[in-house]
């Protein structure tokens, strides 16, 4: 190097020759000592709570310079306390006894606060179970610990039988803890009794007398044959066995239900068969035909005399129609007063097959 100042030289012994304008020279030897660089360490990165102080410590030198120094108790100490108001990166320059220096950095991060929440207050019916729910934490404590499946999880189930206000402490981390509340309001369940089961014949009318309390709405299922599907005391007219379910509900959606079965069986009481008639042509009681509470199809209708002869028969006609009845004649001749036997084959309105046999007398 030809300049008056030599730079970037490694350790060792150097000879410098200086020449002036007259050509005169002088030689000197210069020894350079090569010192190792210091190893300055500012420590690991740190996480702190917002508003908290942090202790910074450096090693590897004898003199230190911290920056930025704002909010720091000592910017030239190996250990100092800082009060960061946000995430910060601190620099420390260390100088050893040979005046050699090294630099290191440490990040100080503010632990963030997250949102926490709890489910809205809830209405349930007595006897129901409801799931509570809190979010945003790593640890949860519910209190009072009454009727809870587990008071240390974020979503315990409550089977309380009375209104209660639960408190939950939500711990996010070492910095933040929140307290929230969730109320469970318990409402009574209505009561209902549909009444005793009933039985009768097809087409008969049945009066249902249900009893209920604490309700706002009524609904019967099915509605078939009912005079009213939203009242307590409907009349049912059915042609087959059926089970009705009554459901009552209050303003909070709490329900109660009961059922009633109406058993319908086919028997002769569905039909009205007189035991005498007067076929004398006076326009009154001149014919004998099957009568029923509800019109059904008669498959076969026959009249026998005392010797077993068929004196009249008809097939596949509707009941309650005198046009298909017997007029008291045989082979177009009026018969004398006597006792005859009738046989009736038909089906009730519920589809059940029935045979009816009886006596009919001609009276004149």
């Amino acid at each position: 190097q030809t300049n008056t100042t030599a730079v970037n030289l490694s350790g060792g012994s150097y000879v410098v020759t200086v020449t002036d304008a007259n050509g005169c020279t002088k030689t000197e030897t210069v020894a350079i000592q090569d010192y190792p660089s210091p190893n300055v360490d500012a420590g690991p990165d740190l996480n702190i709570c917002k508003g908290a102080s942090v202790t910074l410590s450096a090693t590897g030198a004898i003199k230190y310079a911290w920056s930025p120094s704002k909010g720091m108790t000592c910017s030239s100490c190996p250990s100092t306390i800082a009060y960061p108001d946000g995430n910060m990166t601190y620099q420390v320059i260390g100088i050893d006894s040979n005046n050699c220096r090294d630099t290191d950095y440490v990040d100080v991060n503010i632990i963030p606060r997250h949102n926490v929440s709890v489910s809205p207050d809830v209405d349930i019916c007595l006897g129901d179970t409801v799931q509570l729910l809190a979010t945003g934490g790593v640890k949860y404590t519910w209190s009072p610990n009454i009727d809870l499946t587990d008071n240390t999880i974020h979503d315990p189930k409550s089977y309380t039988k009375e209104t209660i206000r639960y408190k939950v402490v939500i711990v996010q981390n070492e910095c933040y803890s929140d307290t929230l509340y969730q109320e469970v309001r318990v409402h009574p369940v209505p009561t209902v009794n549909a009444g005793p089961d009933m039985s009768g014949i097809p087409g008969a009318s049945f009066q249902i007398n249900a009893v209920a309390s604490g309700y706002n709405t009524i609904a019967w299922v099915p509605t078939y044959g009912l005079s009213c599907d939203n009242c307590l005391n409907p009349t049912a007219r059915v042609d087959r066995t059926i089970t009705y379910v009554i459901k009552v509900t209050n303003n909070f959606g709490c329900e109660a239900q009961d059922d009633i079965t109406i058993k319908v069986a086919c028997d002769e009481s569905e039909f009205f068969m007189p035991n005498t008639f007067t076929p004398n042509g006076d326009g009154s009681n001149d014919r004998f035909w099957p009568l029923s509470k509800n019109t059904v199809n008669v498959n076969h209708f026959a009249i026998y005399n005392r010797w077993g002869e068929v004196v009249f028969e008809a097939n596949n006609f509707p009941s309650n129609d005198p046009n298909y009845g017997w007029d008291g004649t045989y082979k177009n001749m009026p018969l004398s007063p006597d006792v005859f036997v009738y046989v009736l084959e038909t089906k009730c309105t519920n589809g059940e097959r029935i045979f009816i046999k009886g006596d009919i007398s001609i009276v004149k």
Side-chain angles (χ1 to χ4, degrees):
Q1 298 184 33
T2 59
N3 296 324
T4 57
T5 300
V7 296
N8 296 324
L9 300 180
S10 59
S13 181
Y14 292 87
V15 176
V16 59
T17 301
V18 181
T19 304
D20 64 10
N22 299 311
C24 299
T25 63
K26 185 174 176 59
T27 300
E28 289 288 343
T29 301
V30 180
I32 297 178
Q33 183 66 41
D34 195 2
Y35 298 109
S37 297
N39 185 18
V40 175
D41 184 7
D45 293 340
L46 301 171
N47 297 315
I48 65 170
C49 301
K50 185 176 181 179
S53 63
V54 61
T55 299
L56 306 176
S57 296
T59 59
I62 60 173
K63 295 180 180 180
Y64 300 91
W66 293 93
S67 64
S69 59
K70 180 181 179 181
M72 190 175 289
T73 57
C74 179
S75 62
S76 60
C77 300
S79 181
T80 184
I81 298 175
Y83 295 86
D85 55 6
N87 294 339
M88 294 290 293
T89 297
Y90 289 99
Q91 172 188 275
V92 61
I93 299 174
I95 302 173
D96 66 8
S97 59
N98 298 310
N99 208 33
C100 297
R101 64 182 58 200
D102 188 24
T103 302
D104 197 18
Y105 301 88
V106 60
D107 289 331
V108 177
N109 298 307
I110 305 300
I111 297 174
R113 182 170 195 153
H114 304 294
N115 292 328
V116 295
S117 66
V118 69
S119 293
D121 295 344
V122 62
D123 295 280
I124 66 170
C125 303
L126 182 64
D128 287 350
T129 299
V130 63
Q131 189 165 54
L132 310 178
L133 179 63
T135 60
V138 296
K139 182 180 178 181
Y140 303 86
T141 304
W142 294 85
S143 62
N145 188 15
I146 299 174
D147 298 329
L148 291 176
T149 53
D150 187 342
N151 77 320
T152 62
I153 60 176
H154 77 105
D155 59 347
K157 290 183 179 179
S158 169
Y159 46 93
T160 179
K161 296 176 177 60
E162 59 185 7
T163 296
I164 189 170
R165 189 170 187 247
Y166 288 107
K167 177 178 74 173
V168 57
V169 177
I170 305 172
V171 177
Q172 292 189 38
N173 44 50
E174 64 269 28
C175 298
Y176 307 112
S177 176
D178 295 274
T179 301
L180 299 177
Y181 298 87
Q182 183 174 10
E183 186 173 64
V184 179
R185 294 181 288 262
V186 180
H187 301 282
V189 177
T191 63
V192 63
N193 186 335
D197 294 341
M198 293 183 278
S199 61
I201 62 172
S205 180
F206 301 88
Q207 179 62 54
I208 300 175
N209 294 302
V211 178
S213 65
Y215 67 92
N216 292 90
T217 62
I218 301 171
W220 287 92
V221 178
T223 61
Y224 171 77
L226 293 178
S227 62
C228 174
D229 63 2
N230 59 357
C231 60
L232 283 176
N233 309 120
T235 299
R237 186 180 295 275
V238 295
D239 56 11
R240 61 180 181 272
T241 296
I242 191 170
T243 296
Y244 290 108
V245 176
I246 180 175
K247 180 186 294 184
V248 295
T249 308
N250 62 22
N251 285 335
F252 301 99
C254 302
E255 298 178 351
Q257 66 179 41
D258 194 21
D259 61 71
I260 181 173
T261 298
I262 300 176
K263 298 179 180 179
V264 173
C266 185
D267 61 27
E268 295 183 13
S269 63
E270 186 173 353
F271 295 87
F272 306 94
M273 304 298 290
N275 54 18
T276 62
F277 77 119
T278 57
N280 54 15
D282 63 356
S284 175
N285 200 24
D286 285 336
R287 283 181 173 271
F288 172 59
W289 69 92
L291 298 171
S292 63
K293 294 181 180 179
N294 297 280
T295 300
V296 296
N297 184 71
V298 177
N299 301 98
H300 182 68
F301 180 49
I303 308 293
Y304 297 85
N305 63 20
R306 65 178 60 248
W307 296 280
E309 295 178 292
V310 177
V311 297
F312 173 81
E313 66 179 338
N315 298 297
N316 296 319
F317 63 91
S319 62
N320 301 322
D321 190 338
N323 294 319
Y324 294 92
W326 180 40
D327 62 1
T329 65
Y330 177 54
K331 296 181 179 180
N332 295 321
M333 296 295 294
L335 294 177
S336 299
D338 204 345
V339 178
F340 300 84
V341 175
Y342 66 83
V343 176
L344 175 68
E345 178 187 349
T346 183
K347 289 182 180 180
C348 291
T349 52
N350 66 348
E352 185 178 344
R353 193 176 182 185
I354 186 172
F355 293 88
I356 300 175
K357 184 178 179 180
D359 297 332
I360 181 67
S361 298
I362 292 179
V363 179
K364 293 186 179 179

